[in-house]
Amino acid sequence: MGYVNSDQGDDAPLAVKILIAGGFGVGKTTMVGAVSEVAPLRTEEYLTHASVGVDDLEDLSGKSTTTVALDFGRISIGSGLVLYLFGTPGQERFWFMWNDLVNGALGAVVVVDTRRLEVSFASIDFFEGRGIPFVVGVNCFHGVRDRTPEEIRAALDLDPQVPLLLFDARERRQGRDVLLALIDQLMAARPHTTPHPVP
């Protein structure tokens, strides 16, 4: 999985691994499910009384499940590029898995929720600390845009070169636009190199 078979010839699409990251309940699973051209693999479990006091459910009254390992999906960008999407778990107790999931990833989308920006600080720090290119996708739940992009950028203390896009994680086209912004960033960062296949 995630590699180009040399027997397929020169016309085989390039496979690239991308992480979809962010805090608990920001819309990572929703985004992967919306953009994936195959039925997404999900490792969700129901939230139970055991998570009370552990998982912050403020502003998440409708949330009944949570990702405990990863989400996986796939989307083709034209005929020459296939993105393999790995959604990370958002709760702090599952962050140890990120060190494995990041292996082979060329970039990431950090999904944020303006109602709870603080839950995405750790994701931004994770990719900045490892020098992995990323874009920020601001999930505008139900079309609500209560802060300007400039206000969000300042609150997240983002470097000026990090793209920030407003989108609805439920909408395939908008999710695809966020992924295309990441691909543009990756190509701009490596103008004279071709991304290697995912190991």
Side-chain angles (χ1 to χ4, degrees):
M1 175 181 64
Y3 61 90
V4 176
N5 186 336
S6 60
D7 295 335
Q8 293 176 322
D10 293 337
D11 294 333
L14 179 69
V16 175
K17 180 179 180 180
I18 300 296
L19 293 190
I20 309 298
F24 175 59
V26 296
K28 302 179 299 295
T29 297
T30 301
M31 179 182 177
V32 172
V35 301
S36 181
E37 62 197 16
V38 298
L41 168 68
R42 294 183 170 139
T43 59
E44 291 195 303
E45 293 293 339
Y46 284 102
L47 292 168
T48 66
H49 291 295
S51 69
V52 174
V54 177
D55 296 323
D56 181 6
L57 296 176
E58 187 175 350
D59 295 323
L60 298 175
S61 58
K63 187 169 179 62
S64 60
T65 61
T66 185
T67 300
V68 296
L70 61 92
D71 297 310
F72 174 79
R74 184 188 75 202
I75 180 172
S76 299
I77 305 294
S79 60
L81 179 64
V82 175
L83 305 184
Y84 289 100
L85 309 175
F86 289 77
T88 64
Q91 302 98 312
E92 186 173 350
R93 65 185 181 277
F94 297 128
W95 286 354
F96 68 92
M97 297 189 64
W98 289 33
N99 291 319
D100 290 329
L101 289 173
V102 77
N103 287 333
L106 292 188
V109 173
V110 176
V111 182
V112 303
D113 176 357
T114 57
R115 301 170 299 177
R116 300 158 49 249
L117 285 176
E118 70 281 356
V119 302
S120 294
F121 292 161
S123 303
I124 292 169
D125 290 344
F126 181 86
F127 296 112
E128 285 180 342
R130 287 163 177 76
I132 296 173
F134 67 96
V135 300
V136 171
V138 181
N139 189 6
C140 299
F141 289 90
H142 307 294
V144 174
R145 297 188 176 188
D146 56 356
R147 299 190 190 192
T148 66
E150 293 75 19
E151 290 172 334
I152 297 167
R153 181 177 292 280
L156 295 173
D157 193 26
L158 286 180
D159 288 337
Q161 71 270 19
V162 175
L164 183 146
L165 299 94
L166 305 181
F167 82 120
D168 185 331
R170 301 167 299 175
E171 297 294 330
R172 176 179 173 83
R173 180 185 56 79
Q174 294 184 35
R176 181 184 169 100
D177 288 346
V178 172
L179 292 168
L180 287 173
L182 175 62
I183 296 303
D184 287 345
Q185 185 190 28
L186 292 173
M187 292 176 66
R190 300 178 184 189
H192 303 296
T193 63
T194 301
H196 294 291
V198 177

